[in-house]
Amino acid sequence: MGRRERKVRFFLTVCALASGSLLIGRSIQIIRRDHFSGGKAILGKAYEQAGKMAFTVLTPYLGFDQEETAGGWLDELFLAVKEQIPTLALDEEKEQAERLEEDEETSAAIIKENEQVLQEETKRENQLQAEKEENRDDISETEKEDDDAGQGSETAQTEPAVAVIKKEEISVEQLQDYHQLLNQFFVVDQNTSALPSQINADSLLGRDMTLEKQEDQPQILIYHTHSQEEYADSIEGDESTTVIGVGDYLEQILTEQYGYQVIHVKDTFDMVDGYLERSKAYNYAEPVISGILEENPSVEVVIDLHRDGVDENKHLVTEINGKQTAKIMFFNGLCRTNKNGDIDSLPNPYIEDNLAFSFQLEYLAKQYYPDFTRCIYLKGYRYNLHLKPRSLLLEVGAQTNTVEEAKNAMEPFADLLNKVLQGREW
């Protein structure tokens, strides 16, 4: 309850008591004038009403513990007053926004993307399109030869449709300059800052993210803090057309094509009593996912799969292996804001590991699928990335993408993830 609200409630209480006093004074005047007969009736009614009002008004304060009250006459009266005084509602909304700042939907910050990065990305897209046009005949001929060689082979049909040859080469030597590395791979939210010690190519690529595959124990966990996020052609009530369905397809690819054991959690952390409520979704998800990790200590990779929210005229799509594919973006929390510095209440001992995991995926993506990823977006809070060193928040397309485009993105992403976990690139 805000300070302004408490003041208004106190004011209403004083008004109620003052009204009772006025009624009693008026009754006394009538007693003196009418010799008690009329005053007695009014005084009796005033006494009864004042007693009820005083009890109703004063009772909530007896058990007030700085939490919201359960409702009642005073709450209804306060709501009526608040409708007449808009500043009260604005004050309440401001306090709520400050309270829930950590849990605000990640897409709200992502819309503020760096204009310079977008311009560079557009330039790169134009260059890639020109290359595609130039090499289309060669690619078509190669695909035809592959199809002829694979006819009648069931194994060929189950192989992931992903590229196996690098399209670009990015040497570590090219990434030694902090500012160049930051501009090429990252977008930093205006409310936080990235330190040169964190954005260091040798350190990011030097951390060991490899994983020895175990066929009999789960090693990868997929979940969705915002389980209700949908796409342009999602069907209401059909979770297979939401981010959960995209997670199902990622699980299938990782299991059937790469041999990993996967746990897919489909809990609806952003639904409360049947209503969409994302303000505390990260808080609701943390104990559930932590409990699952305690029960399954073999899990080393945790992926929180989302979809972004962008302007309606923006379509995050590229073409990979002949398929329209949603672009993806990695998202990291630094547990630090420009205003308050390090956030001690949100500790994350794995910030450097989280960054290295995202960067190694992004580094390979720019070489194998140059137009597939958007950037690594850095923001100030934590987003439950403290649960494991290999924790990842993945944005798959946006509300303007189709379900098919989002699912197509899981094929190259799974390829990149396997490359990093197997450590075959550096």
Side-chain angles (χ1 to χ4, degrees):
M1 182 185 296
R3 291 188 297 273
R4 189 186 294 263
E5 184 176 340
R6 288 196 292 271
K7 290 180 180 179
V8 171
R9 288 177 182 270
F10 177 75
F11 174 74
L12 294 175
T13 303
V14 172
C15 288
L17 295 177
S19 298
S21 299
L22 289 174
L23 286 173
I24 294 174
R26 178 59 178 160
S27 297
I28 292 174
Q29 289 179 355
I30 294 175
I31 289 173
R32 291 174 177 174
R33 187 186 66 193
D34 296 342
H35 305 289
F36 193 74
S37 59
K40 179 179 180 182
I42 294 176
L43 183 60
K45 291 182 179 179
Y47 178 80
E48 180 182 356
Q49 293 298 324
K52 289 181 179 179
M53 185 177 295
F55 179 79
T56 304
V57 172
L58 295 176
T59 297
Y61 290 97
L62 298 179
F64 183 66
D65 60 355
Q66 302 302 317
E67 296 292 340
E68 290 184 340
T69 60
W73 175 86
L74 190 57
D75 287 333
E76 294 178 3
L77 180 58
F78 179 77
L79 290 175
V81 173
K82 188 163 60 176
E83 291 178 357
Q84 303 302 319
I85 309 177
T87 55
L88 296 180
L90 293 175
D91 181 66
E92 184 181 70
E93 291 174 3
K94 179 181 178 182
E95 290 185 1
Q96 183 180 15
E98 291 174 351
R99 229 171 25 242
L100 303 176
E101 190 170 4
E102 181 195 359
D103 295 318
E104 64 181 340
E105 189 173 1
T106 57
S107 62
I110 299 167
I111 296 176
K112 301 175 182 176
E113 279 192 41
N114 188 295
E115 280 298 325
Q116 179 181 355
V117 173
L118 293 177
Q119 292 173 1
E120 292 176 356
E121 182 176 335
T122 301
K123 181 179 178 181
R124 186 170 62 251
E125 287 175 353
N126 293 336
Q127 292 174 343
L128 289 171
Q129 186 62 35
E131 293 176 4
K132 288 178 183 177
E133 293 292 336
E134 182 179 347
N135 298 319
R136 178 169 292 175
D137 293 339
D138 293 339
I139 294 173
S140 298
E141 185 63 29
T142 301
E143 289 177 347
K144 183 177 183 300
E145 292 175 0
D146 291 342
D147 289 341
D148 292 340
Q151 278 186 344
S153 171
E154 293 183 2
T155 302
Q157 294 176 3
T158 58
E159 284 298 315
V162 293
V164 295
I165 300 175
K166 285 184 179 180
K167 301 294 189 301
E168 295 183 8
E169 285 285 347
I170 302 176
S171 67
V172 179
E173 289 72 21
Q174 294 176 255
L175 307 176
Q176 296 304 309
D177 181 79
Y178 164 74
H179 296 288
Q180 181 179 347
L181 177 62
L182 191 66
N183 292 332
Q184 186 175 354
F185 286 85
F186 299 88
V187 170
V188 183
D189 186 83
Q190 61 183 358
N191 294 319
T192 191
S193 58
L195 304 177
S197 60
Q198 294 175 317
I199 311 302
N200 178 282
D202 293 331
S203 175
L204 293 170
L205 293 177
R207 287 184 179 264
D208 186 7
M209 294 287 113
T210 60
L211 186 67
E212 184 177 350
K213 197 176 297 184
Q214 299 182 20
E215 297 181 357
D216 58 341
Q217 297 185 67
Q219 293 181 287
I220 299 175
L221 185 148
I222 302 169
Y223 75 105
H224 314 271
T225 299
H226 297 156
S227 67
Q228 303 303 298
E229 289 177 329
E230 298 179 332
Y231 293 93
D233 57 347
S234 293
I235 301 172
E236 185 176 356
D238 183 358
E239 73 173 18
S240 68
T241 64
T242 67
V243 289
I244 292 179
V246 177
D248 281 335
Y249 189 50
L250 176 59
E251 176 188 7
Q252 179 184 343
I253 296 172
L254 292 174
T255 301
E256 296 179 1
Q257 297 178 354
Y258 295 99
Y260 293 101
Q261 299 300 314
V262 181
I263 297 175
H264 186 193
V265 179
K266 303 181 183 182
D267 292 32
T268 54
F269 301 113
D270 52 350
M271 293 290 289
V272 179
D273 297 328
Y275 294 96
L276 183 66
E277 173 53 69
R278 288 184 177 149
S279 64
K280 294 185 179 180
Y282 287 97
N283 292 342
Y284 296 147
E286 196 275 339
V288 175
I289 301 304
S290 294
I292 294 173
L293 292 176
E294 289 180 7
E295 295 172 0
N296 299 274
S298 59
V299 172
E300 295 292 344
V301 178
V302 179
I303 302 171
D304 185 6
L305 196 155
H306 293 246
R307 70 109 174 98
D308 196 1
V310 298
D311 293 337
E312 289 298 329
N313 60 356
K314 191 172 185 179
H315 192 195
L316 305 173
V317 68
T318 187
E319 183 178 311
I320 296 178
N321 295 318
K323 297 181 181 181
Q324 291 297 294
T325 303
K327 296 184 180 183
I328 67 172
M329 181 169 68
F330 304 111
F331 191 99
N332 283 84
L334 299 179
C335 300
R336 179 177 60 253
T337 63
N338 294 330
K339 180 179 179 181
N340 300 316
D342 292 338
I343 306 175
D344 296 333
S345 60
L346 298 174
N348 181 1
Y350 304 130
I351 290 179
E352 310 299 333
D353 296 291
N354 296 160
L355 286 171
F357 194 35
S358 296
F359 181 77
Q360 291 181 19
L361 289 164
E362 179 80 8
Y363 178 66
L364 288 183
K366 286 187 179 300
Q367 297 177 80
Y368 281 94
Y369 312 99
D371 195 34
F372 179 43
T373 58
R374 297 163 63 196
C375 65
I376 302 172
Y377 195 92
L378 303 179
K379 201 176 177 184
Y381 297 96
R382 186 172 65 178
Y383 306 101
N384 288 337
L385 295 174
H386 64 296
L387 298 177
K388 284 287 182 177
R390 299 179 189 84
S391 289
L392 193 69
L393 198 161
L394 177 66
E395 298 276 358
V396 182
Q399 84 281 6
T400 53
N401 288 101
T402 65
V403 177
E404 182 179 6
E405 289 168 350
K407 289 184 176 180
N408 287 343
M410 294 300 90
E411 297 171 5
F413 170 72
D415 176 48
L416 293 168
L417 179 63
N418 183 62
K419 281 179 167 59
V420 170
L421 295 180
Q422 297 307 304
R424 297 170 181 170
E425 299 302 320
W426 60 87

